[in-house]
Amino acid sequence: MLPADQETDAPHLRHAMAEALVSDGALTDPGWRAAVERVPRHRFVPGFYLPADELDRQGLTVWEPVTPGLDYGRWLAAAYSDVTLITQFDGDEPDWSTPVRRHGGSPTSSSTLPSLAVQMWADADVAEGHTVLEIGTGTGYSTALACERLDPADVTSIEIDPRRLEQAAGALFACGYTPTLAVADGLYGYWPEAKFDRIVAACSFRAVPPALLGQTRPGGKILLTLSGWLYGYARVLLTVKGDGTAEGKLLGGTVSFMSARTHEAPVFGNPAHWAAGVSGAAARMARHHPKRITAATEEAFHLRFLAQCAVPDAQMTTVGDIVHLVDVVTGSAATLTPAGDRWEVREDGPVRLWERIEDVLCLYDEAGRPGPETFTLHVYDGGQHVRHPQLPALPLRRP
């Protein structure tokens, strides 16, 4: 039995959150609104981390644990706020009975902000009678929303982390939701319950996993986020055809998800070591500023994905004023160094990383800077390509 204050406070906060989402235009479907008002999100987040207001001395984010025992009011208010709640770093499961502050770290599991959780189901055109596969159970909150809208017997959710799934399963079953749950790698979907009318991924992939096409009924849809080692993102809603191919438009916005663990970027070592190999290369002036793909704008968000298609194995990091591009697959590297109001480029290795990115940026500008909604992803036996009427096809790195 929940304490009386939670029983009293949570329904009011759920209603207020739903009202705010409606007011913001993030919740337009009455069915999904009803789901938001019914699902007790606090049951799925017994503890989580929120960022402190200031960085530590090393410039790292300080993550503060939030639990009902530490600060009941802050915990419950955050649970019913439209924010993502980080529940795990670096694959390490926290002990919420004695949580500690963290400095830095890579988030590996979270409770997605409610507006995005609902948006994913709505964008996938999920409706009553559909059988769905959710990839990335996480805390189970999004799964619960689906169970409220659909028959739970039609909902399958898989999670690669058994500890995460165990906690999610406990919360789901305690709330009376009975979807099919399994520990599985989303790269391979879940054949025992196939075929599905809809597949929705709450993680990102470097390319569309072929198994997902085989597990979707003809005419069914797959909603997933494409990403890569440059951390460029694009969402796509694919429709699967009877011949096993699929195509669909890229969606607008700046939505990002954590990478599927089997698609995470490899560590590349010390940037200074890579820079040393580039130092003897001939220098030239860059045609484009690196902020074209790093600025906090929707266009830069879109361009980073297109650039990533051109150099799918590249990674980017900035040390001081120097931007480093590193490709652990081919051994290629590049550095961009400020030179007044321009940038000096040095490149080494079989792939001219920044030159390839510049070529894409030039073509993009010549085409009139088209938005993501004008691009289509085609998936077929011979590969996966992002296409636009005015641009050359951009291949995706096959998983």
Side-chain angles (χ1 to χ4, degrees), residues 313-334:
D313 298 319
Q315 299 181 65
M316 176 182 285
T317 188
T318 301
V319 180
D321 293 331
I322 301 177
V323 177
H324 298 261
L325 285 165
V326 173
D327 180 342
V328 300
V329 176
T330 66
S332 304

Side-chain angles (χ1 to χ4, degrees), residues 7-163:
E7 293 277 17
T8 302
D9 297 340
H12 168 74
L13 291 173
R14 278 201 299 279
H15 177 75
M17 182 176 72
E19 287 285 324
L21 294 178
V22 170
S23 178
D24 291 342
L27 190 57
T28 58
D29 185 294
W32 290 116
R33 174 174 179 166
V36 170
E37 295 221 21
R38 293 188 189 116
V39 175
R41 191 187 187 202
H42 67 280
R43 297 271 200 107
F44 297 88
V45 286
F48 48 84
Y49 289 96
L50 293 176
D53 293 333
E54 297 181 359
L55 304 178
D56 69 9
R57 293 180 180 178
Q58 286 74 43
L60 299 174
T61 300
V62 177
W63 294 96
E64 298 177 337
V66 182
T67 68
L70 290 173
D71 188 333
Y72 168 77
R74 186 186 188 193
W75 167 76
L76 196 61
Y80 290 105
S81 299
D82 192 33
V83 296
T84 293
L85 306 174
I86 306 299
T87 54
Q88 188 191 78
F89 287 90
D90 303 314
D92 297 327
E93 193 68 19
D95 179 358
W96 293 116
S97 64
T98 55
V100 296
R101 298 178 102 205
R102 293 189 60 102
H103 292 247
S106 177
T108 48
S109 190
S110 66
S111 177
T112 301
L113 64 162
S115 62
L116 179 53
V118 171
Q119 181 184 348
M120 292 294 286
W121 291 122
D123 284 349
D125 195 24
V126 171
E128 288 81 354
H130 283 157
T131 55
V132 303
L133 170 65
E134 177 188 40
I135 298 173
T137 312
T139 64
Y141 174 68
S142 178
T143 319
L145 291 174
C147 288
E148 277 287 352
R149 185 66 187 271
L150 308 175
D151 183 337
D154 291 333
V155 178
T156 298
S157 185
I158 60 175
E159 168 64 47
I160 197 170
D161 188 329
R163 297 166 300 175

Side-chain angles (χ1 to χ4, degrees), residues 103-274:
H103 292 247
S106 177
T108 48
S109 190
S110 66
S111 177
T112 301
L113 64 162
S115 62
L116 179 53
V118 171
Q119 181 184 348
M120 292 294 286
W121 291 122
D123 284 349
D125 195 24
V126 171
E128 288 81 354
H130 283 157
T131 55
V132 303
L133 170 65
E134 177 188 40
I135 298 173
T137 312
T139 64
Y141 174 68
S142 178
T143 319
L145 291 174
C147 288
E148 277 287 352
R149 185 66 187 271
L150 308 175
D151 183 337
D154 291 333
V155 178
T156 298
S157 185
I158 60 175
E159 168 64 47
I160 197 170
D161 188 329
R163 297 166 300 175
R164 288 280 83 210
L165 189 68
E166 181 180 10
Q167 180 172 310
L172 285 163
F173 297 152
C175 292
Y177 303 120
T178 55
T180 298
L181 302 174
V183 176
D185 187 338
L187 185 62
Y188 305 103
Y190 198 61
W191 286 103
E193 295 294 318
K195 290 186 173 184
F196 301 99
D197 295 301
R198 298 289 186 270
I199 295 179
V200 176
C203 60
S204 62
F205 295 98
R206 297 186 74 194
V208 181
L212 301 188
L213 272 65
Q215 294 176 30
T216 306
R217 292 191 178 97
K221 297 181 181 181
I222 302 172
L223 178 68
L224 51 75
T225 302
L226 301 169
S227 68
W229 298 348
L230 277 183
Y231 298 103
Y233 296 90
R235 283 197 314 148
V236 63
L237 180 61
L238 292 166
T239 298
V240 177
K241 302 178 182 180
D243 60 2
T245 65
E247 67 177 65
K249 295 285 188 182
L250 301 190
L251 306 181
T254 55
V255 173
S256 61
F257 279 101
M258 298 172 192
S259 295
R261 297 194 185 183
T262 45
H263 280 193
E264 289 178 346
V267 294
F268 57 79
N270 188 337
H273 297 165
W274 292 87

